[in-house]
Amino acid sequence: MKYNNVKIDLKPLPILEELIEDLTNKYLTQKAVLASCGEYADPHLVQGLESDIKLLDEVLERVYDQQQLINLRAEQIIGLN
């Protein structure tokens, strides 16, 4: 038996964790920039920031949901073993 010391870890890994953190940081940064814009800010800048924030929010939600699906699948695999 050559493989007595082989260990298999089937716990779900946070595959998308780094991406979620990066998107969250970008989202928070954009919100801070928007909040710091005064009433005299260029309307195009404000509109662009609001658009970016909305897009980041949607993408972040989808990535988070995808990580949840990955975790559920991993848990199902663990349950089968």
Side-chain angles (χ1 to χ4, degrees):
M1 292 260 174
K2 297 195 290 189
Y3 305 108
N4 286 341
N5 61 352
V6 175
K7 294 181 182 177
I8 299 174
D9 184 10
L10 296 175
K11 293 179 185 172
L13 297 174
I15 296 169
L16 301 174
E17 183 177 316
E18 186 175 342
L19 178 59
I20 291 170
E21 287 177 16
D22 290 344
L23 288 170
T24 301
N25 289 337
K26 182 68 173 173
Y27 174 81
L28 294 173
T29 301
Q30 294 291 74
K31 285 194 73 129
V33 170
L34 180 62
S36 70
C37 288
E39 62 185 69
Y40 302 109
D42 181 14
H44 294 290
L45 173 67
V46 172
Q47 183 181 10
L49 287 170
E50 288 172 344
S51 176
D52 288 350
I53 290 168
K54 181 180 177 190
L55 177 64
L56 284 166
D57 186 44
E58 291 170 359
V59 171
L60 186 58
E61 185 175 324
R62 291 182 68 189
V63 172
Y64 181 77
D65 289 343
Q66 190 65 36
Q67 181 63 55
Q68 295 298 94
L69 284 174
I70 290 169
N71 291 348
L72 286 173
R73 287 181 185 153
E75 288 174 10
Q76 287 175 347
I77 292 172
I78 291 171
L80 293 176
N81 290 331

